[in-house]
Each structure stands twice: as C-alpha cells, then as structure tokens.
C-alpha cells in the first residue's frame, strides 16, 4: 500500500517535470501542430511513457512491486507502439500503417489461453477500435488526459479485486502520470500527447481491460464496454458520420465527440469536464458490474445512454466552432495595420488622364448665357489647326 502511494506520487511528479522539459526541444525541432493558431509541442507522449516506464522499472528492479509477466509484456509492447506513433509525429506516417501496428501489437498481448482463438480475434478487433477511440480524443486539449486517468483508476480497482497486483500497480501509475501531464495539457494546452502518447495510453488501457476481463469473465462483456464507453462512443460516432458523408474512414477531421461538444457552445474546459464526468460514471458502473455489486444488465443503461449520445451528436454540424471563427476574425483584424482596416469603397474611381478639363456649364433659362472663357478669334483657331495638320497630329 505504501509503495503504491509512493509510486503514484513519483509518477505524477516525474511526468510533470518531463512534460515541461520536452517543450523546448519539441519547439526547436519543429515537432509541433497548430491548434487555434498556436504551435503546440507533440512530445507529451514521450514524457508519459518515460514517467510510467521509469517508475515501473524501479519497482521491478528493486523487487518491491514486481509487475509480473502480463503487466511487463503489456508495457513493453505499448512502448513499442508508442515509438511507432513518435515516428508518425515526426514524419507523418499513413494511417493504415498505424492501424497495422495496433493490430500486430494487440495480437501479441491478447490472452488466447483464456479467450480461445475466436475470442482472441475478437479481442484484437476490439483493441483496435478502442485504441482509435482514445487516439481521437487526443485531438482536444485535456480530453484524453482526463478520460484516460479516470479509466485507469477504475481499471486498477478491477485488477486489485482479481488479485492482479502487477496490473493494478501499472494502472495506478498510469493514472498518476496522466494527472501530472494534465498540469501542462489543461486547456489551453502547452503540450499534447500526440500520436505517440495516444497510442501508448489507449493500448495499455484497452489491453489491460481485456486481461482483467479474461480473468473476471463472470461479469460478461458489460464491464469491458462500460470501462471504455466514452472512447467507444467517440469512435462509433466518427465512423458512422464519415460513412454517411461519404468520407474516408481513416482521414482525420474535426468530427470527434469533443469537437461536436464545442459546436453546441461548450468551452474547452467545459468539454473536458463533461467528458470526465461521463467517463467517471461509466467506469463506476463497470467497476460495480465487475465486482458483482450490481447485475450485469446494468451495463445496458450505459449502452443506451451511449447510443442516445451518438444519435444526437450525428445532427451536430462538424467544423470549427462559431466562437473560434469569431475570435480568429477579430485576431486577424487586430493584426492588420490601421490603414488596411479602413473600409475600401467599392465604387470605381475615374482613371487619371493628365488632362484638366473645365466643368461644363449649363445655360440659364430665360437669361443671358452663363459666363465662361472668352472665345478665341476664328483666325487663331484656323492657324492652330493648320499647324497641327503639318505635324501629322490630325488627319
């Protein structure tokens, strides 16, 4: 118990320090992405992996809290998948290559002995779905950090109930590391997880859920679903909306659950709070179902709520929120020079010809002619016309 508290505190502080330390190198090397006009570093996943891996290695090396084969292999394969995501952050790998990496990694950690061949294949497909759900939440500031920390905390309780001490310690350390990372990832984020951190966190959580479910299978499939209900809702919403719109399923866009919540008027911190509350509610139901505190059919309530949310969010238009458009327009106006802010007249101005013509005069009805320049004598006009003709100016 004491080591668990010390390990969690160490992971929190170490990840917070590493997240601050990798910001400058990421900005210098250009490993960034633009969010609302800002350059945000993408190396937060490296800090989370390093924090979790360092604390887990110290526990294994000292013998105080050995992870065991399941947790150790899960974190090793998850770190390898995270490195593949890091390559994608730097060189922008195709989405198909990332999906293939998730499939291979899932095939390496699925417990075939408990689930069987058919169950193992289904587990690989489920891990692929859930990992991409967590990856989609990484596109919004703070969303994956909060949802991942809440899910890891609930999953550690399930693992502790099954006397899987290595997995329980791993999930507690991951929850603490994500909490430390949130110190820099809370909106507006100063650093984000990127593909590296999203794949690592999503894979460790999805693989851990499958391992815990394989032992406590008496609770049915309701517990694994409720523990990852928010990530599942996000990926189902994205796949259905892109299929209806005729878009490519693997092409990214602002059509995730967090983006749609922004479209209905929530602020970025409000989106994080709503997703965190939803994750806490669903994870609480999953923990209760797994511990047999409630009937397994209670998971149907979470499934029904998830379906209602997905159906409702399908009618929310995708794209940048109106407030973001207004703020971007105001920022662009403020950045313009004062002369450029003046409204330009749409009326066409006469082109200068270099000839100054006297204004035309109108006769006064019933009176004398309006005053004007005195006419030149007829003889002078004829002389000027003759001179112009000799020079070829008139034909």
């Amino acid at each position: 118990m004491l080591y668990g508290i010390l390990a969690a505190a160490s992971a929190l502080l170490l990840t917070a320090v590493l997240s601050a330390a990798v910001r400058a190198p990421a900005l210098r090397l250009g490993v960034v992405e633009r969010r609302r006009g800002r350059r945000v570093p993408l190396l937060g996943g490296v800090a989370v992996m390093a924090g979790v891996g360092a604390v887990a290695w110290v526990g294994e090396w000292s013998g105080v809290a050995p992870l065991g084969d399941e947790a150790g292999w899960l974190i090793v394969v998850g770190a390898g998948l995270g490195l593949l995501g890091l390559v994608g952050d730097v060189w922008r790998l195709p989405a198909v290559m990332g999906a293939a990496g998730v499939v291979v990694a899932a095939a390496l950690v699925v417990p075939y002995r408990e689930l069987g061949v058919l169950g193992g294949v289904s587990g690989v497909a489920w891990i692929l779905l859930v990992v991409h759900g967590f990856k989609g939440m990484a596109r919004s500031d703070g969303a994956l950090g909060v949802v991942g920390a809440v899910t890891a905390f609930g999953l550690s309780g399930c693992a502790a109930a099954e006397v899987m001490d290595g997995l329980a310690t791993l999930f507690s350390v991951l929850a603490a590391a994500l909490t430390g990372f949130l110190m820099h990832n809370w909106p507006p984020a100063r650093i984000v997880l990127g593909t590296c951190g999203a794949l690592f966190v999503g894979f460790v959580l999805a693989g851990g859920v499958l391992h815990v479910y394989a032992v406590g299978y008496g609770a049915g499939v309701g517990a694994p679903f409720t523990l990852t209900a928010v990530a599942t809702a996000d990926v189902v919403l994205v796949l259905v909306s892109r299929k209806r719109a005729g878009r490519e399923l693997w092409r990214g866009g602002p059509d995730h659950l967090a983006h749609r919540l922004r479209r209905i008027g929530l602020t970025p911190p409000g989106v994080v709070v709503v997703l965190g509350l939803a994750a806490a509610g669903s994870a609480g139901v999953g923990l209760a179902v797994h511990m047999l505190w409630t009937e397994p059919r209670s998971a149907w309530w979470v499934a029904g709520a998830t379906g209602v949310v997905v159906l409702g969010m399908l009618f929310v238009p995708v794209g940048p929120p109106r407030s973001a458009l207004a703020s971007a327009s105001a920022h662009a106006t403020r950045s313009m020079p004062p002369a450029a802010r003046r409204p330009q007249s749409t009326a066409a101005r006469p082109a200068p010809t270099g000839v100054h013509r006297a204004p035309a005069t109108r006769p006064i009805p019933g009176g004398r002619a309006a005053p004007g320049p005195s006419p030149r004598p007829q003889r002078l006009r004829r002389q000027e016309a003759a001179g112009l003709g000799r020079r070829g100016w008139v034909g």
Side-chain angles (χ1 to χ4, degrees), residues 39-391:
R39 297 172 71 245
V40 185
L42 286 172
L43 295 184
V46 175
V48 173
M49 282 200 311
V52 174
V55 174
W57 179 80
V58 169
E60 182 75 21
W61 173 75
S62 63
V64 177
L67 294 179
D69 295 337
E70 294 177 345
W73 183 238
L74 184 64
I75 195 172
V76 168
V77 177
L81 188 60
L83 292 178
L84 177 63
L86 179 60
V87 174
D89 287 331
V90 177
W91 285 288
R92 300 294 189 266
L93 295 179
V96 177
M97 187 174 296
V102 175
V103 171
V104 173
L108 294 175
V109 300
V110 167
Y112 296 100
R113 181 181 302 176
E114 291 83 1
L115 299 179
V117 177
L118 183 59
V121 173
S122 302
V124 170
W126 184 79
I127 289 177
L128 175 65
L129 189 74
V130 174
V131 167
H132 279 83
F134 282 112
K135 181 183 175 184
M137 282 188 290
R139 299 178 179 274
S140 181
D141 295 350
L144 179 55
V146 169
V147 175
V150 171
T151 304
F153 183 77
L155 194 54
S156 66
C158 296
E162 300 295 340
V163 198
M164 305 173 73
D165 296 335
L167 287 175
T169 302
L170 174 60
F171 297 138
S172 299
V173 169
L174 179 60
L178 290 174
T179 304
F181 175 72
L182 275 173
M183 297 180 182
H184 306 273
N185 188 238
W186 188 264
R190 290 173 289 176
I191 190 172
V192 295
L193 284 170
T195 307
C196 170
L199 291 180
F200 173 75
V201 173
F203 180 80
V204 170
L205 291 177
V209 168
L210 205 60
H211 275 281
V212 174
Y213 163 73
V215 175
Y217 56 87
V221 298
F225 167 74
T226 52
L227 285 168
T228 58
V230 177
T232 305
D234 185 85
V235 69
V236 171
L237 172 64
V238 169
L239 292 177
V240 172
S241 63
R242 291 178 183 176
K243 185 66 176 178
R244 291 179 60 199
R247 296 177 52 202
E248 297 180 7
L249 297 182
W250 302 110
R251 184 177 294 276
D255 53 356
H256 292 270
L257 183 59
H259 300 135
R260 296 174 190 264
L261 290 175
R262 288 280 286 122
R263 288 292 294 175
I264 64 177
L266 292 181
T267 61
V271 171
V272 176
V273 172
V274 169
L275 292 178
L277 291 176
S282 62
V285 174
L287 179 62
V289 170
H290 186 87
M291 301 287 291
L292 301 180
W293 294 340
T294 183
E295 295 293 331
R297 62 172 177 267
S298 300
W300 285 104
W301 291 99
V302 178
T306 303
V308 170
V309 170
V310 170
L311 289 176
M313 287 297 166
L314 285 175
F315 295 96
V316 177
V318 297
R322 297 183 181 88
S323 58
L325 290 176
S327 61
S329 177
H331 176 73
T333 303
R334 289 193 298 267
S335 62
M336 292 171 59
R341 301 183 197 175
R342 300 171 185 170
Q344 299 294 330
S345 174
T346 58
R349 296 183 179 180
T353 60
V355 178
H356 300 278
R357 299 179 180 177
T361 58
R362 296 182 179 180
I364 301 176
R368 291 186 296 179
S374 57
R376 289 179 297 173
Q378 189 70 16
R379 182 174 57 84
L380 295 179
R381 287 200 299 270
R382 286 197 299 266
Q383 291 177 355
E384 290 179 358
L388 293 176
R390 285 194 300 267
R391 291 178 232 173

